[in-house]
């Protein structure tokens, strides 16, 4: 697991916490699960609506207060060949849920990430 704190010159403050586990049923296979929580406050100049003239404005949802949850499942396997070459395959599936607490056009986005990798080591 791990934790990260972030603060920048625009006043964006965030916290990231993650937890992960892995299980290897044999020498060449690994199954893993990961969870990531991200929470962020708004930038100093962010407002959901601007009712008066101000120096800086933004309509970027990533500068509003938000949180996200990512849950990933990953499977990897190595195939070894007689001449010491190895082929590794990894598949990751991860739903991600974004929540916007003060962004007028939308309140939530749900995404689904699929990643696949093949690595050949000659």
């Amino acid at each position: 697991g791990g934790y990260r704190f972030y603060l920048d010159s625009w006043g964006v403050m965030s916290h990231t916490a993650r937890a992960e586990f892995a299980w290897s049923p044999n020498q060449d296979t690994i199954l893993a699960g990961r969870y990531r929580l991200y929470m962020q406050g708004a930038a100093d100049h962010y407002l959901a609506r601007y009712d008066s003239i101000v120096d800086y404005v933004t309509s970027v949802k990533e500068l509003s207060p938000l949180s996200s949850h990512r849950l990933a499942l990953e499977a990897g396997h190595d195939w070894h060949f007689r001449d010491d070459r190895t082929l590794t395959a990894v598949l990751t599936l991860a739903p991600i849920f974004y929540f916007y607490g003060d962004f007028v056009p939308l309140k939530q986005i749900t995404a689904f990430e699929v990643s696949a990798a093949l690595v050949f080591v000659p």
Side-chain angles (χ1 to χ4, degrees):
Y3 171 79
R4 183 189 73 168
F5 173 78
Y6 173 86
L7 179 63
D8 69 20
S9 61
W10 283 5
V12 176
M13 182 185 342
S14 71
H15 305 270
T16 306
R18 63 179 174 76
E20 53 188 75
F21 70 92
W23 175 59
S24 186
N26 60 55
Q27 182 178 349
D28 296 322
T29 305
I30 190 162
L31 304 172
R34 293 181 180 84
Y35 172 73
R36 178 182 183 265
L37 168 65
Y38 177 79
M39 296 185 305
Q40 166 186 302
D44 291 339
H45 60 281
Y46 177 83
L47 292 174
R49 287 189 166 86
Y50 294 91
D51 298 324
S52 62
I53 296 173
V54 294
D55 290 335
Y56 301 102
V57 299
T58 183
S59 62
V60 177
K61 67 184 178 302
E62 285 81 11
L63 294 177
S64 74
L66 66 95
S67 66
S68 70
H69 303 269
R70 181 181 186 267
L71 178 62
L73 299 174
E74 185 174 285
H77 188 77
D78 291 338
W79 289 272
H80 303 283
F81 300 97
R82 290 184 188 159
D83 55 3
D84 291 332
R85 295 179 299 162
T86 303
L87 177 65
T88 300
V90 179
L91 176 65
T92 304
L93 306 173
I96 310 167
F97 305 95
Y98 298 93
F99 297 96
Y100 301 95
D102 192 30
F103 188 68
V104 175
L106 68 113
K107 293 295 180 191
Q108 179 181 345
I109 295 175
T110 301
F112 194 75
E113 174 187 325
V114 177
S115 302
L118 282 176
V119 177
F120 181 71
V121 179

